[in-house]
Amino acid sequence: MAYRLLADVVASVHLLFVLYVTFGGFLTWRWPRTVVLHVAAVVWGAGSVAIGFECPLTSLENWARRSAGAASLPPDGFIAHYLTGVVYPESAVGLVRIAVAVCVLASWTGLWWRRRAARRLAPGLTRQ
């Protein structure tokens, strides 16, 4: 039972990571210094999708699932198992990836505009 609980917790953390990659850039508007964390998360997430970086969360979840006597995630991993075909249809994968990229770029653009506006309003202020 403990292994099953661990697998569920890891799956929840994984979902939170995906949501952070998608929307976490908007948190940088309030806490600009966290942009470094968001950039790292986006690079890791994009690398997982585009290059196939092995995800430590998937490895941990698979270990916990096997230890609980359950099957591992499919080779395509977390997104293919929990999101694709469940939250959105398989035919929308490309559109979802574009939507995530648009959210990330919009949040980073908004941060840049906000910092630029803050510098204009407060001459001599170079950092927030």
Side-chain angles (χ1 to χ4, degrees):
M1 181 159 142
Y3 290 116
R4 184 64 212 170
L5 179 61
L6 177 61
D8 291 344
V9 168
V10 172
S12 298
V13 169
H14 214 154
L15 179 60
L16 289 173
F17 178 80
V18 170
L19 291 172
Y20 179 69
V21 166
T22 306
F23 301 109
F26 294 104
L27 295 174
T28 66
W29 294 14
R30 175 68 175 99
W31 299 287
R33 292 181 181 154
T34 65
V35 72
V36 174
L37 297 173
H38 191 249
V39 168
V42 168
V43 168
W44 186 264
S48 294
V49 170
I51 300 170
F53 291 165
E54 188 168 333
C55 178
L57 291 172
T58 300
S59 300
L60 179 59
E61 183 179 351
N62 279 335
W63 173 80
R65 289 168 67 93
R66 285 190 305 272
S67 297
S72 294
L73 292 173
D76 290 344
F78 176 85
I79 291 174
H81 182 71
Y82 291 108
L83 302 179
T84 305
V86 177
V87 176
Y88 53 85
E90 250 181 81
S91 60
V93 168
L95 183 60
V96 168
R97 288 178 179 172
I98 290 169
V100 169
V102 166
C103 282
V104 170
L105 292 175
S107 68
W108 290 353
T109 301
L111 175 65
W112 178 77
W113 278 19
R114 291 170 63 91
R115 292 187 81 162
R116 187 172 170 224
R119 279 190 287 251
R120 280 192 196 151
L121 292 175
L125 178 65
T126 57
R127 285 189 100 165
Q128 283 186 335

